[in-house]
């Protein structure tokens, strides 16, 4: 039971990700007084009213945890992000309620077979019967019927979204090609190099003796680097002996534009083929060894290389446009109160 959601008020990292309609998802919250150490306390107080339907702080918390699931691991939400997460969650639960009411207005139905399967899938997410029973008691008042009602509500929301948003957001290959042809500048790339590095960096204001020791260490590193046969071999060596910031990532710089690289490195690359390891390159006081992994000349990326990502990106943008339009349309004649 997934649908695509772009949270306009949230971090770009979660824009366009798949998120579950969360009206029946566990929050892990207890009633006040049951567990005073729980950072996710709720009292079921109203936070919004949508055409008379009341949404509570439990609904809000459930959506906030969908947006930022790491809150469970970090014992709460990041203070600097909590307000925006709360606002995004509030807007989302209002939107979902409006969509649910639209499904009811249209008299959409959910088959028993579909409901039974969704219920089985939901229960399968719990690690044990005890865990499910705890959820049932704390969040659904012990009512299996309440669980089925919430699951049915989610399915109806997803049905409207599929019809009004998902099915209409499909981007054909021809549409992607047309966008590619009309926006050539977006697909131009600068000349770049993909490489790994191992660096020996003497202390700032190093003494002559320290500089001598650094050179000796760099020469020994060069011998080992020349003996590597693969990306992984070089990367493991970088993690072991390199002193630059890239050592924690196999020494990998990924693709770097030519105009952002030191001239000493560019000069070394000019005589190398992918897979080769350079000699020592001195940049000020530091000694660097690079392994060239790829060289990309300047030019336009071929459509075949970008078509899949382009279609995905276009579909996400189209989905969000349709979702925002649906939200606006449903709110036009709705009475929404923030409590």
């Amino acid at each position: 039971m997934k649908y695509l959601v772009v949270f306009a008020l949230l971090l770009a990292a979660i824009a366009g990700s798949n998120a579950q309609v969360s009206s029946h998802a566990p929050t892990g919250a207890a009633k006040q007084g049951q567990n005073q150490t729980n950072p996710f306390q709720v009292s079921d107080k109203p936070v919004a009213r949508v055409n008379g339907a009341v949404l509570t702080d439990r609904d809000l918390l459930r959506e906030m945890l969908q947006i930022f699931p790491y809150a469970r691991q970090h014992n709460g939400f990041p203070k600097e992000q909590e307000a925006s997460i709360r606002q995004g969650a509030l807007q989302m639960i209002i939107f979902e309620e409006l969509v649910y009411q639209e499904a009811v207005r249209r008299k959409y139905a959910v088959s028993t077979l579909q409901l039974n399967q969704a219920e089985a899938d939901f229960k399968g997410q719990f690690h044990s019967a005890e865990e499910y029973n705890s959820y049932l008691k704390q969040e659904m008042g012990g009512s299996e019927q309440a669980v089925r009602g919430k699951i049915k509500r989610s399915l109806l929301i997803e049905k409207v979204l599929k019809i009004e948003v998902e099915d209409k957001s499909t981007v054909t290959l021809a549409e992607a090609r047309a966008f590619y042809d009309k926006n050539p500048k977006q697909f131009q790339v600068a000349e770049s190099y993909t490489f790994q590095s191992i660096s020996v960096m003497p202390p700032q204001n190093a003494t002559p003796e320290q500089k001598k020791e650094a050179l000796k260490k760099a020469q020994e590193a060069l011998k080992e680097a020349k003996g590597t046969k693969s990306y992984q071999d070089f990367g493991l060596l970088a993690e072991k002996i390199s002193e630059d910031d890239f050592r924690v990532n196999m020494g990998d710089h990924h693709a770097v534009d030519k105009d952002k690289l030191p001239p000493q490195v560019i000069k070394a690359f000019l005589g190398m083929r992918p897979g080769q390891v350079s000699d020592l390159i001195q940049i000020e006081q530091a000694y660097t060894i690079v392994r060239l992994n790829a060289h990309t000349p300047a030019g336009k990326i071929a459509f075949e290389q970008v078509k899949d990502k382009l279609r995905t990106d276009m579909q996400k943008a189209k989905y969000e446009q349709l979702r925002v339009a649906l939200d606006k349309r449903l709110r036009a004649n709705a009475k929404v109160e923030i409590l």
Side-chain angles (χ1 to χ4, degrees):
M1 295 185 298
K2 299 282 184 179
Y3 72 96
L4 191 65
V5 175
V6 179
F7 297 102
L9 298 175
L10 307 179
L11 299 174
I14 55 176
S17 65
N18 284 329
Q20 187 175 23
V21 177
S22 57
S23 63
H24 57 282
T27 65
K31 295 278 190 178
Q32 284 186 342
Q34 287 182 313
N35 183 358
Q36 295 300 329
T37 63
N38 191 329
F40 308 121
Q41 293 285 359
V42 294
S43 60
D44 291 310
K45 69 177 181 180
V47 295
R49 191 178 289 114
V50 181
N51 293 325
V54 175
L55 304 176
T56 71
D57 61 349
R58 188 178 298 273
D59 301 313
L60 182 62
L61 175 60
R62 185 176 289 113
E63 191 63 41
M64 289 176 72
L65 289 171
Q66 288 286 313
I67 291 170
F68 193 81
Y70 303 108
R72 293 187 179 93
Q73 300 172 21
H74 296 288
N75 205 37
F77 298 95
K79 294 301 180 184
E80 67 277 10
Q81 298 176 27
E82 187 169 4
S84 63
I85 291 172
R86 187 183 191 281
Q87 179 64 15
L90 182 61
Q91 295 306 313
M92 186 54 67
I93 63 174
I94 290 170
F95 172 66
E96 288 185 354
E97 177 60 30
L98 287 168
V99 174
Y100 169 67
Q101 292 180 15
E102 179 66 9
V104 173
R105 187 190 70 79
R106 296 183 186 185
K107 298 181 180 180
Y108 286 162
V110 174
S111 70
T112 301
L113 180 63
Q114 185 183 14
L115 183 56
N116 289 343
Q117 182 60 58
E119 184 179 11
D121 291 343
F122 174 65
K123 289 181 178 179
Q125 298 176 32
F126 293 88
H127 296 99
S128 65
E130 290 75 16
E131 186 179 68
Y132 173 72
N133 288 332
S134 176
Y135 156 79
L136 187 66
K137 180 180 178 181
Q138 289 190 15
E139 304 205 28
M140 295 295 166
S143 171
E144 291 277 4
Q145 194 61 35
V147 175
R148 286 178 66 84
K150 290 290 187 179
I151 293 173
K152 181 179 179 181
R153 179 180 185 275
S154 291
L155 292 172
L156 288 171
I157 291 170
E158 288 177 349
K159 188 167 187 176
V160 175
L161 290 176
K162 186 175 189 306
I163 293 169
E164 294 297 329
V165 182
E166 187 175 337
D167 289 349
K168 294 179 180 180
S169 64
T170 300
V171 174
T172 66
L173 190 63
E175 288 174 321
R177 181 75 206 207
F179 182 91
Y180 174 86
D181 291 339
K182 289 178 182 178
N183 299 276
K185 290 184 179 179
Q186 291 192 26
F187 304 98
Q188 292 289 338
V189 293
E191 183 176 8
S192 65
Y193 293 91
T194 302
F195 64 97
Q196 294 161 276
S197 69
I198 294 173
S199 299
V200 176
M201 307 172 71
Q204 191 174 12
N205 301 319
T207 64
E209 185 61 30
Q210 288 174 319
K211 292 178 182 179
K212 185 176 179 181
E213 289 177 3
L215 177 58
K216 181 180 178 181
K217 182 178 178 181
Q219 290 171 336
E220 291 172 351
L222 178 62
K223 290 179 183 178
E224 291 190 72
K226 289 285 189 180
T228 61
K229 303 296 183 183
S230 66
Y231 169 94
Q232 184 170 357
D233 289 347
F234 190 96
L236 291 174
L237 183 62
E239 290 187 343
K240 180 182 177 183
I241 67 174
S242 184
E243 296 171 354
D244 62 32
D245 292 339
F246 295 92
R247 65 186 183 278
V248 296
N249 190 34
M250 304 283 283
D252 198 338
H253 293 243
H254 301 293
V256 181
D257 289 354
K258 179 181 178 180
D259 60 6
K260 295 180 180 179
L261 291 169
Q264 301 95 316
V265 174
I266 295 297
K267 183 178 179 180
F269 282 152
L270 292 177
M272 296 172 63
R273 297 188 305 274
Q276 287 188 322
V277 175
S278 72
D279 293 325
L280 281 184
I281 303 169
Q282 185 171 359
I283 304 173
E284 297 180 351
Q285 301 298 316
Y287 296 98
T288 296
I289 306 158
V290 294
R291 182 185 194 272
L292 178 62
N293 293 324
H295 172 217
T296 303
K300 186 178 180 182
I301 305 173
F303 178 67
E304 288 299 314
Q305 292 179 267
V306 299
K307 63 179 182 179
D308 292 338
K309 185 178 185 303
L310 178 58
R311 287 182 71 186
T312 298
D313 291 345
M314 289 177 67
Q315 183 164 314
K316 286 179 180 179
K318 191 174 181 180
Y319 184 103
E320 178 59 6
Q321 291 170 358
L322 290 166
R323 191 197 67 78
V324 169
L326 176 62
D327 187 21
K328 184 177 180 179
R329 189 164 72 248
L330 294 178
R331 284 176 181 262
N333 299 311
K335 183 178 181 181
V336 177
E337 304 168 83
I338 306 299
L339 305 176

